[in-house]
Amino acid sequence: ETGSELLLATDPDCDRVGAAVKAAEGYRLITGNEMGVLLLDFVCRMRRANGTMPERPVAVKTIVTTPMAEKVAAHYGVELRNVLTGFKFIGEQIGLLEKDGEADRYIFGFEESYGYLSGSFVRDKDAVNASLLICEMFVWYKSQGKTLADALEALYAQYGFFEAKLLSFTFEGSAGFAHMTELLDSLRVSPPEELAGEAVRQVIDYDRDETGLPRSNVLRFILDGGEVVVRPSGTEPKLKIYLTAAPRELEKFFRLLGVFRARASSVMIVGASKMCYYLASELLEMGMSVKIIDQNEQRCVEMSEKLPRALVIVGDGTDSELLSEEGISQTDAFVAITGLDEANILMALSAAKQSGDCCKVVAKINRKSLLELVSTESLIDSVVSTGAVTTELILQYIRAMKNA
């Protein structure tokens, strides 16, 4: 209603905080993993600039939190400690440092479920501290003409893109709990050799292996293209699965969906996002002509600098006249991957109607209700839900075990 550029919301006891930033098309939600990486980078950046970075600095995250944090920490020379799920284990690390008289070494800790802490004054996630830090970071980037979304894109360009997703399966009653336990035991005894077409390179059992952490009923599967962590919820009758996919999985998602015909030589992409960057990079390497459209001028400038071989245009992808002027009728493939599902659907339908059968049309849609709606729309050739291929294959694997 007010056109605010930054939205913050905490839970009732104010220990978690979520954020959204104004984008060219509505608001862009920032996940717990993304905000954690942004804050870790900002804390390190500011401490280094102000000369307040301690000797042998320490940051802490949980084992189900994005591995991207490891790259950021390594860049700044920060020791990153991994602990079990639960902020109490992050607080425990602060206590251990304090016991050794080294509490000042701790600079930041976070978990994927929107919990952050930048000081050693408390032992739990603190949304008061985090909200102030987020606002400070927002103002700092705004002074440079950037949004937090822009800052995040820059981090992805520097360290690589990591997509994370959480799946939850409910097991009601004592019988359900027993079945969930059987599933975990089965995964432990007979771990899968591959997940989502990726070979499982390593299995870490936090209940039996020597990990240096307290024993816990958690399994971690390391893949070439990412990792999968499986654990029971500590508060609900649920089995939780944490997925992380590496950059090259984006190309695989599109290839598995059969998005591009062998004869395709030109692709039009609407939405200069992180997915756009990696997809366009792959397409350019394949020798294709790539045209990118986005309403945000700053984002277009940055994308053109990163991808000098792509043609980047400032414009509204929902404008059918613009698509026509940019040659949609002569384009082999059209991809709508903005942050708004509704806009992606409208653009995909418009492109399909203008191009006829000569253009392969793809839309990124995350909301389940819209996915079901579009599945009945024959004009759109393929629908991509972020992480959909990996998610669906793992869902099939787990459901097969659950029904066994």
Side-chain angles (χ1 to χ4, degrees), residues 6 12 33-34 41 67-68 96 135-136 144 191 208 210 246 257 283 360 362 367 371 376 395 401:
L6 174 67
N33 275 319
E34 291 173 334
D41 176 79
M68 183 178 176
L96 292 173
C135 289
E136 182 181 350
Q144 302 176 55
R208 299 180 181 180
E210 293 300 325
L257 286 172
L283 295 175
K360 190 82 169 179
V362 183
R367 282 163 51 190
L371 279 169
T376 64
L395 277 169
M401 294 180 64

Side-chain angles (χ1 to χ4, degrees), residues 36-59 68-80 105 107-108 110 137 140-141 144 146 151 154-156 158-159:
V37 169
L38 279 167
L39 288 173
L40 175 60
D41 176 79
F42 180 70
V43 168
C44 292
R45 188 188 300 268
M46 292 299 102
R47 279 183 172 269
R48 177 178 284 184
N50 298 330
T52 58
M53 182 73 86
E55 291 187 13
R56 298 184 298 132
V58 173
M68 183 178 176
E70 296 169 1
K71 293 195 173 186
V72 176
H75 175 76
Y76 289 102
V78 174
E79 176 191 347
L80 184 67
R105 289 180 60 196
I107 61 170
F108 189 66
F110 78 102
M137 176 173 63
W140 187 79
Y141 278 113
Q144 302 176 55
K146 297 180 180 180
L155 291 179
Y156 281 129
Q158 181 175 358
Y159 299 109

Side-chain angles (χ1 to χ4, degrees), residues 268 323-324 326-332 351 354-356 358-359:
M268 184 182 296
L323 296 184
S324 178
E326 295 304 327
I328 185 63
S329 60
Q330 287 81 45
T331 299
D332 295 323
Q354 290 191 62
S355 62
C358 66
C359 179

